[in-house]
Amino acid sequence: MLQLLRKSQRPLGSSLNAKTRSLHSSSLRRDAAFAPTIAPGMKERRPSKIFASPDEAIRDIKSGSTILSGGFGLCGVADTLIKAIAERPEINNLTAASNNAGVGEKGLGKLIHTRQLSKVICSYIGTNKTFEQMYINGEIAIELTPQGTLAEKIRAAGAGIPAFFTPTGFATAVQTGELPVKYKKDSNGEIEIAAKKKEVREFGGRSYIMEEALKGDVALIRVWKADELGNCIFRYTQHNFSGAMARSARLTIVEADEIVPAGSLDPQHIHLPGIYVDRIVRSSAPKDIEFRTTSPMNYAADVSPDESAPEQDDAKIRRERIVKRAAKELKHGYYVNLGIGMPMLAPNYIPKGVRVHLQSENGILGFGPYPIEPMVDPDIINAGKETVSLLPGAAVFDSVESFGMIRGGHIDVAMLGAFQVSQTGDLANYMIPRKMVKGW
């Protein structure tokens, strides 16, 4: 089915002890005057942020920590650092916050398979069958959170905002607290931990629910370039949740594809200032692609997909019929958000002569068709984790910016994929209690 929706205070870095009443030598007085006192809970400040190895960079992570793990699908995931944690089984009982929890044993899936995670705060389970089954069996807790809300919860923590109100989730199980966070192990669906019911307030005649900020103990972030001072640049959709996460953790560890000397990066191109970064290591993990989608080498924009697909099963024909009809609602100049599932097919059926600006929730405005094979880039993916191309005039940004566009009413049309939709527009998501859980 498709539905169209219209329109803490930072402690001081040091305190100077200038009192020298009881000191008798000038050297002692000088040393005392400049001895820093580290306030509890403050971020570490070291002479160098560059660490020789990921093992050294993660050595202080303790069991029971909350980890903010950047990435969207397999794009922008700090795989080098995650692998280092997976090799330390004594670090366990971790809570991870991320958009999703990897695929198989890739990404955070590695820590799920090693049983080092006891809870995951995410918006989407997706195709991770092991993760889904562990939740159903009561082996792991999951706090399902709408994706835009998750981004804002993390951003708020880094900005010192303890809570905020959002319309997302009102009058759903998000508000009422009916979603199980954890089932009792080896039970017949008995709930061990239930979600909290959310406070509701009305502003301007519209109902909103209160969401609390989400602070992390450690953030694991992958960037394209980092200089010695911690200034970072992300590459295309590698940004996603990572910038907000880096700002919202007590300890931020970055793995960089490239580490450069201070002054090498243009200041106006920096996405993440070094004040938020504590440790940097060189990334050694390859970039994975979840869904490698391509156009044929002889692809032409004015060729209908029907002409290049000689055989189609009935299900595919039905899906394309729905998408074709939905695409007729898109008018010239519209800014259109495409959700996962069938909406991803919509660009193939936009009428000739109509230009719409396609927005993807993971941080693209102006994406185009699937790329030809030589142009595939693991850092350019859409909301469905498929490789796509960027059209002239495209822009890339982070998840906070993306959902600000959507929540703020700047999008003309949102095209959503859904399990079921009623005549009045009510949506049923991908969740069958105790049988199937996909996310929001």
Side-chain angles (χ1 to χ4, degrees):
M1 294 291 182
L2 287 178
Q3 184 186 35
L4 298 179
L5 304 179
R6 303 196 182 278
K7 231 164 164 136
S8 64
Q9 293 183 338
R10 177 184 295 275
L12 294 175
S14 64
S15 61
L16 301 182
N17 178 7
K19 296 183 179 181
T20 57
R21 292 190 301 268
S22 60
L23 300 179
H24 302 290
S25 72
S26 60
S27 61
L28 283 176
R29 285 197 299 270
R30 184 174 60 252
D31 291 344
F34 295 97
T37 301
I38 307 300
M42 72 174 292
K43 292 174 75 71
E44 66 174 14
R45 300 294 186 226
R46 292 171 175 267
S48 174
K49 296 183 179 183
I50 309 297
F51 279 64
S53 70
D55 296 327
E56 183 184 356
I58 62 105
R59 69 176 185 271
D60 298 329
I61 297 179
K62 295 179 172 54
S63 295
S65 297
T66 294
I67 307 293
L68 305 181
S69 181
F72 189 92
L74 298 178
C75 178
V77 177
D79 285 310
T80 304
L81 295 170
I82 290 173
K83 180 176 181 291
I85 295 173
E87 292 172 351
R88 294 273 307 280
E90 70 275 14
I91 304 175
N92 51 49
N93 192 31
L94 299 172
T95 294
S98 186
N99 179 59
N100 58 293
V103 178
E105 294 190 39
K106 295 181 178 180
L108 279 180
K110 188 178 294 293
L111 300 184
I112 290 173
H113 277 263
T114 58
R115 301 303 197 265
Q116 287 169 272
L117 299 183
S118 59
K119 180 180 179 181
V120 178
I121 303 169
C122 64
S123 72
Y124 190 63
I125 294 175
T127 58
N128 195 324
K129 294 294 184 182
T130 300
F131 184 34
E132 180 182 34
Q133 200 57 49
M134 286 176 64
Y135 170 65
I136 291 172
N137 293 341
E139 299 175 69
I140 195 169
I142 298 180
E143 190 175 311
L144 284 172
T145 306
Q147 189 177 156
T149 300
L150 179 61
E152 191 64 16
K153 283 167 70 76
I154 296 168
R155 187 208 68 83
I161 299 171
F164 60 93
F165 285 89
T166 175
T168 305
F170 172 73
T172 72
V174 175
Q175 179 223 315
T176 60
E178 295 174 275
L179 287 174
V181 173
K182 188 177 186 299
Y183 291 105
K184 281 190 176 180
K185 193 173 181 180
D186 301 324
S187 71
N188 189 27
E190 192 176 348
I191 297 174
E192 181 177 324
I193 304 173
K196 295 179 181 178
K197 187 176 181 179
K198 304 293 173 67
E199 178 185 337
V200 177
R201 292 275 299 275
E202 189 174 293
F203 299 93
R206 190 178 183 187
S207 296
Y208 296 75
I209 63 174
M210 191 182 80
E211 293 282 359
E212 296 182 12
L214 176 55
K215 187 82 173 177
D217 296 307
V218 181
L220 306 178
I221 306 299
R222 183 166 187 167
V223 305
W224 178 29
K225 293 181 180 181
D227 71 15
E228 297 166 316
L229 299 180
N231 298 306
C232 298
I233 297 176
F234 295 99
R235 188 171 183 274
Y236 299 122
T237 59
Q238 186 187 56
H239 199 164
N240 51 72
F241 288 79
S242 296
M245 289 179 169
R247 292 165 169 83
S248 302
R250 294 179 179 85
L251 174 67
T252 294
I253 310 175
V254 161
E255 63 172 81
D257 298 331
E258 185 179 347
I259 301 175
V260 299
S264 301
L265 304 179
D266 188 328
Q268 63 185 339
H269 293 164
I270 289 169
H271 297 122
L272 180 65
I275 191 171
Y276 300 111
V277 175
D278 302 299
R279 302 179 184 184
I280 307 167
V281 296
R282 181 68 182 266
S283 178
S284 60
K287 294 184 177 182
D288 290 313
I289 296 175
E290 191 165 344
F291 297 112
R292 193 183 191 93
T293 46
T294 59
S295 295
M297 293 292 288
N298 61 350
Y299 173 80
D302 59 350
V303 175
S304 167
D306 295 326
E307 299 176 36
S308 60
E311 293 185 13
Q312 299 183 11
D313 58 36
D314 290 341
K316 186 174 182 180
I317 292 172
R318 285 195 300 272
R319 286 164 62 88
E320 290 185 352
R321 185 185 305 126
I322 294 171
V323 176
K324 282 181 181 179
R325 177 62 189 87
K328 291 181 182 295
E329 298 295 316
L330 307 182
K331 308 303 180 185
H332 188 77
Y334 270 12
Y335 288 90
V336 181
N337 167 261
L338 296 182
I340 63 173
M342 284 188 283
M344 292 291 118
L345 301 173
N348 297 320
Y349 300 104
I350 295 172
K352 291 182 180 180
V354 175
R355 179 175 183 181
V356 298
H357 308 278
L358 300 177
Q359 196 257 21
S360 186
E361 64 199 33
N362 59 312
I364 305 178
L365 184 62
F367 70 89
Y370 299 141
I372 58 175
E373 181 58 39
M375 302 301 291
V376 168
D377 191 318
D379 290 326
I380 305 178
I381 63 168
N382 62 19
K385 289 86 174 177
E386 302 168 325
T387 49
V388 292
S389 60
L390 298 179
L391 298 177
V396 292
F397 34 84
D398 70 349
S399 297
V400 173
E401 181 82 27
S402 179
F403 281 94
M405 292 178 186
I406 299 168
R407 193 188 308 109
H410 306 287
I411 298 294
D412 295 302
V413 174
M415 187 181 292
L416 307 177
F419 182 56
Q420 292 176 325
V421 59
S422 73
Q423 290 182 327
T424 57
D426 301 309
L427 293 178
N429 70 2
Y430 297 84
M431 184 181 298
I432 302 174
R434 299 287 295 162
K435 291 185 178 181
M436 183 182 76
V437 183
K438 296 299 179 186
W440 287 108

